[in-house]
Amino acid sequence: MAEKVMLVDVSKCTACRACQVACKSWNNLPADRTRNLGSYQNPADLTPRNYTLIRFQEVEDGQGGLKWLFRNEKCFHCSDPGCLKVCPVPECIFKTPEGAVVIDSDKCIGCKYCVHACPFDIPRFDPVSEKMYKCTFCYDRLANGMQPACSAACPTGTITFGDKPDIVNMARKRAGEIGGSASVYGEQFVGGTHVMYVLDEQPSAYEGLPEKPEIPTAVFLWKDCLKPLVMASFLGGLGASFLYYIIKGPKRPGVEEGGADHE
């Protein structure tokens, strides 16, 4: 199946939050109990029951006034995902041909390694189930020829979904049309992301959006160096034990090192 990309053009977002509602509805996610913290943003952050969030920011417009910055936040579905590199449970985190990076929460052991390996700080831990959760890219919908629930529900054209080459070209063209500080965010990081943005401000202006996201070096040390050594040592120990058993046989109870039997 073709590799897909979701494009979020923040210049078109009106913060209607139809994407939030559609995400909760499709994934059958319960409501979060929240409280007013002085912002229209609700909930305050991503949660184990809220995979998509519209972030609200008031910033100065450079002319003595204020303006809104809205951003649809979710998992970026990296081509080179740090979460997948560090997950110790086979097939707990997997990729699909379309580009989705999915956590199978039924297999999750709640180690939280994926949290520390994610350069975007996306996976969320549920203290009740002791498992991790995040956006699934609606991989179940994609497998049936449908688009993600959030992009299907967006009424303003903020979210566009399609084949990767077409969407990347669309993003570059749109950034050129906006001009100024507009840029395409995503394709240059972690092997390319499957959720990309057209930003009309510098990335640093958007809360929670790192300027140069990178997988922590420790992740590569663990995956490429330490993890193979640990597994080699473990397997070597098993092999040595098996070889000893074959050569010497089982040690019989009551036999001392000197070979004398006890009555």
Side-chain angles (χ1 to χ4, degrees):
M1 302 187 66
E3 192 174 3
K4 303 291 185 180
V5 165
M6 178 183 293
L7 177 64
V8 181
D9 183 350
V10 300
S11 68
K12 298 180 179 180
C13 183
T14 62
C16 70
R17 290 184 279 210
C19 53
Q20 282 189 207
V21 175
C23 178
K24 273 191 171 288
S25 177
W26 177 257
N27 292 290
N28 196 29
L29 299 172
D32 286 295
R33 183 177 293 276
T34 62
R35 60 192 180 95
N36 194 312
L37 299 175
S39 170
Y40 288 107
Q41 182 175 309
N42 186 47
D45 201 354
L46 295 172
T47 76
R49 294 166 296 279
N50 206 83
Y51 302 163
T52 296
L53 173 70
I54 293 295
R55 288 199 175 274
F56 286 66
Q57 289 176 258
E58 272 188 322
V59 298
E60 295 182 359
D61 62 5
Q63 300 176 356
L66 297 173
K67 68 175 183 178
W68 284 109
L69 292 183
F70 303 129
R71 181 170 72 88
N72 174 294
E73 183 178 53
K74 58 167 63 70
C75 175
F76 280 78
H77 298 279
C78 309
S79 293
D80 184 26
C83 59
L84 177 57
K85 289 179 181 293
V86 299
C87 183
V89 181
E91 299 182 3
C92 176
I93 301 180
F94 60 92
K95 291 176 63 177
T96 71
E98 297 89 351
V101 180
V102 185
I103 295 178
D104 184 344
S105 298
D106 290 336
K107 296 179 180 179
C108 179
I109 60 174
C111 67
K112 302 182 186 178
Y113 289 176
C114 56
V115 176
H116 304 296
C118 177
F120 301 103
D121 188 31
I122 294 297
R124 292 296 186 268
F125 178 72
D126 182 3
V128 177
S129 66
E130 296 186 335
K131 297 178 182 295
M132 305 303 302
Y133 297 89
K134 71 173 187 66
C135 164
T136 67
F137 212 47
C138 285
Y139 77 103
D140 49 349
R141 290 173 62 96
L142 301 189
N144 287 281
M146 304 166 67
Q147 62 177 308
C150 59
S151 61
C154 180
T156 63
T158 298
I159 305 177
T160 309
F161 185 80
D163 292 342
K164 182 175 181 177
D166 297 336
I167 297 298
V168 170
N169 289 335
M170 180 186 300
R172 293 169 180 168
K173 180 180 178 181
R174 178 59 181 162
E177 292 172 351
I178 297 173
S181 299
S183 63
V184 179
Y185 183 95
E187 67 172 325
Q188 66 272 50
F189 306 124
V190 287
T193 59
H194 293 88
V195 173
M196 296 169 50
Y197 291 96
V198 171
L199 303 177
D200 51 6
E201 299 286 344
Q202 294 294 329
S204 58
Y206 295 88
E207 180 184 358
L209 198 62
E211 289 190 66
K212 296 181 179 180
E214 296 178 339
I215 299 174
T217 304
V219 171
F220 294 103
L221 290 176
W222 164 250
K223 178 180 181 294
D224 299 330
C225 301
L226 298 181
K227 189 175 180 181
L229 287 176
V230 170
M231 288 302 297
S233 299
F234 175 72
L235 294 175
L238 286 180
S241 298
F242 181 71
L243 183 61
Y244 180 88
Y245 181 88
I246 294 297
I247 296 174
K248 297 291 187 178
K251 187 174 181 180
R252 292 175 296 167
V255 178
E256 296 182 339
E257 292 298 327
D261 291 339
H262 287 290
E263 293 295 337

